[in-house]
Amino acid sequence: MGWQAVRDLSVDAARLLEPEFERSGGRNGRLSIQTDPRLHRDAAALADQAEEFSKLAKNIIVKIPATKTGIEAMEEAAYRGVSINATLSFTVPQAVAVGAALERALDRRAADGLPEQEFGHVVTIMGGRLDDWLKKWTTANRILVTPGILEWAGVAALKHAHSVFQERGYRSRVLSAAFRNQLQWSELVGGDIVVSPPFDWQARINENNIAVSERIHVPVDAAILDELETLSEFRRAYEVEGMTPEEFENFGAARNTLRQFLDADAQLDALVRDILVPAA
C-alpha cells in the first residue's frame, strides 16, 4: 500500500512537469522515482521495477543506486528504454562507471534497431554528502585540515566528473545534489550539468544575490586541491580509477546513505501499519 501511494503521488507530480518535458524534447521536466532500497543487491529485480515505474508516465526517470549491482541494473533498464537517474553516488569513479554503462546501453539499443530518443539520463554526485563523509572520516582519523577546505571536496568531484563526461562525449549529464553550501551551485554555472537544490537553498541563493557567472571550467584553487589530495579518502573519490565497482557499496558515504534509504522505507511501512492498525 505504501508503494502504491508512491506510484500515485509520482503520477500526479509528473503531470505538473509535463510542459517543461515537452518544451525540452524530453531533456528536462522529468519526475524522479526511486527503486525499493531493499532490492539493492538484486540487479534483475531493480531493472524490472525500474521498467515498471517508467511506464507510470512518459516523463518518469528512475533512481537506481550506483553500486556494482545497481550499475548492472541501470545498463539493462536503460537498454529497455528506462530513463535513469543514478543515486547513492558520491564520487567520480562511480559517475564515470555509470556514464560508461549508459553509453553501452544506448549503443546496444542502436545496434538492435530500437528507437532513438532523448532519455535525459542523469548521473548524480551527492557533493554535500561527500563533504559530510570526509568530515566524519578526518575526525575519526584525527586528521586536521585547514578550516573550510572540506567544503570544496564535492565541488571538486563534480567539476572533475563533468570534465570527464565532456571529454568522453557521454550522452548523460552529471547532476549536483545534497547541497551543503552555495558553491555546489555557483561553481557549476555554465556547464551541461543538472543542479538540483532543495527549495530552501534555491530561495537563500536568490535572497543573497549570489553572483551568476560561468565557473564550471574554473579549476578549484590549486592550494585547496593540493590539500584535499593529501587525504587518501578524497583521492578515492576524486580520481577516475580511485575505486573499483566492487568498492562502491562500501564507501562510507554510500553505507550511511543506504542505511537512511532503508530507514525511510521502514518508516513508510510503519506509516501504513499505523493507519491500518491504529494504536488504541
Side-chain angles (χ1 to χ4, degrees):
M1 290 180 67
W3 278 97
Q4 187 57 47
V6 170
R7 292 180 181 89
D8 293 344
L9 288 167
S10 296
V11 170
D12 290 344
R15 193 174 298 117
L16 299 175
L17 297 172
E18 277 188 20
E20 176 58 24
F21 176 79
E22 298 293 348
R23 189 201 66 76
S24 67
R27 183 78 164 161
N28 301 313
R30 292 181 180 272
L31 190 283
S32 287
I33 178 171
Q34 183 152 318
T35 48
D36 189 334
R38 293 170 297 185
L39 303 177
H40 71 278
R41 290 178 173 153
D42 188 335
L46 286 170
D48 288 346
Q49 188 176 63
E51 185 176 18
E52 176 212 336
F53 285 166
S54 73
K55 295 174 181 177
L56 293 173
K58 59 186 176 181
N59 58 330
I60 290 288
I61 189 168
V62 183
K63 299 173 79 171
I64 298 176
T67 60
K68 183 178 185 295
T69 299
I71 293 170
E72 292 172 5
M74 286 185 225
E75 182 173 346
E76 176 59 25
Y79 171 74
R80 298 183 197 175
V82 178
S83 294
I84 298 296
N85 178 352
T87 189
L88 204 77
S89 180
F90 317 88
T91 70
V92 175
Q94 285 179 285
V96 172
V98 172
L102 295 176
E103 289 300 309
R104 292 192 297 270
L106 291 168
D107 290 344
R108 285 171 56 201
R109 286 181 61 83
D112 290 345
L114 295 173
E116 294 189 25
Q117 65 189 72
E118 175 58 71
F119 287 102
H121 297 314
V122 292
V123 185
T124 295
I125 290 183
M126 305 173 88
R129 286 181 180 262
L130 175 58
D131 295 355
D132 292 346
W133 168 243
L134 290 174
K135 290 171 185 176
K136 183 175 182 178
W137 180 83
T138 52
T139 297
N141 288 276
R142 301 181 62 78
I143 298 172
L144 295 178
V145 297
T146 302
I149 208 83
L150 297 178
E151 304 295 329
W152 286 91
V155 171
L158 283 155
K159 282 179 177 278
H160 191 199
H162 174 266
S163 176
V164 173
F165 273 47
Q166 295 296 298
E167 290 169 2
R168 299 188 179 186
Y170 287 169
R171 285 165 281 185
S172 53
R173 290 176 290 173
V174 173
L175 184 151
S176 170
F179 270 49
R180 298 296 185 271
N181 59 63
Q182 71 268 22
L183 299 173
Q184 290 157 7
W185 167 76
S186 62
E187 287 292 320
L188 306 177
V189 172
D192 186 16
I193 194 167
V194 178
V195 182
S196 181
F199 177 80
D200 184 59
W201 268 106
Q202 183 65 71
R204 282 192 278 170
I205 288 168
N206 292 343
E207 291 162 10
N208 286 272
N209 297 314
I210 303 299
V212 181
S213 60
E214 185 170 328
R215 294 193 58 81
I216 187 64
H217 299 299
V218 178
V220 173
D221 184 271
I224 294 174
L225 194 55
D226 286 348
E227 183 169 355
L228 285 171
E229 288 186 326
T230 65
L231 306 172
S232 61
E233 197 73 347
F234 173 77
R235 294 196 302 273
R236 293 180 70 207
Y238 183 76
E239 296 172 3
V240 172
E241 304 295 336
M243 284 189 286
T244 65
E246 289 77 12
E247 294 177 287
F248 293 163
E249 186 173 343
N250 288 318
F251 186 64
R255 290 202 310 272
N256 292 339
T257 303
L258 180 56
R259 285 176 59 86
Q260 291 175 0
F261 287 176
L262 290 165
D263 183 59
D265 184 80
Q267 290 180 41
L268 178 62
D269 288 346
L271 176 63
V272 173
R273 178 201 63 208
D274 289 345
I275 292 171
L276 292 176
V277 187

